[in-house]
Amino acid sequence: MKITAYKIAAMVFAALLISACSQKQGSSVKDMLKDHSQQEAVLTTLAENHELGKKYIQKMMDNDHATGMMVDELVRAASKDTILANKISGMITKYPDLMLLTTHHFMPVIASDSLMSDTFCDHTLEHEELAKAMHNKMEYKKSLERNH
């Protein structure tokens, strides 16, 4: 009888131990990340581990809300940091389709603001080849209008 009681007690203890362990392991990541130190540890790992960082960025890129947040933060930071602004500018010019899209998007904004228009014109005129190309294009369009 004593042996049976010991066996039952041991089985109950083992069941409680397994149950406690599984509950501890079963705690969700969300619960774990409520702890600020755990958040920092995860963020540091993501920032320092190239492969995990790339996976995280891809997850963010696949989510419209997250992509919007990234762009907002990047633009806000670039508006205060010329080094970052130059890096973004360099990346935009590296991809011609993105450059055209960006230019197309900002032309109406520039046109609606006289200060921006003046600044844009002054900046454009500083680049002789661009100014010549624009002048030639305007002259060509004028010649087409005269012929019709």
Side-chain angles (χ1 to χ4, degrees), residues 72-128:
D72 288 348
E73 287 302 316
L74 195 57
V75 169
R76 189 175 297 118
S79 72
K80 298 174 186 172
D81 182 349
T82 55
I83 293 171
L84 181 57
N86 287 334
K87 286 181 180 180
I88 292 173
S89 179
M91 290 303 289
I92 290 172
T93 56
K94 214 179 200 182
Y95 299 95
D97 291 342
L98 181 58
M99 179 60 130
L100 288 172
L101 182 67
T102 304
T103 304
H104 176 76
H105 174 76
F106 285 111
M107 283 301 164
V109 175
I110 291 169
S112 69
D113 185 305
S114 62
L115 178 62
M116 279 191 199
S117 293
D118 288 346
T119 304
F120 178 75
C121 288
D122 291 343
H123 186 68
T124 303
L125 291 172
E126 290 172 7
H127 300 276
E128 191 174 332

Side-chain angles (χ1 to χ4, degrees), residues 26 32-35 39 48 57 87 96 100 112 128 137:
M32 182 184 76
L33 289 176
K34 288 179 183 176
D35 178 11
Q39 290 175 9
E48 293 175 353
I57 290 170
K87 286 181 180 180
L100 288 172
S112 69
E128 191 174 332
K137 183 79 170 182

Side-chain angles (χ1 to χ4, degrees), residues 31-44:
D31 290 339
M32 182 184 76
L33 289 176
K34 288 179 183 176
D35 178 11
H36 181 70
S37 65
Q38 291 292 328
Q39 290 175 9
E40 287 301 314
V42 168
L43 293 173
T44 299

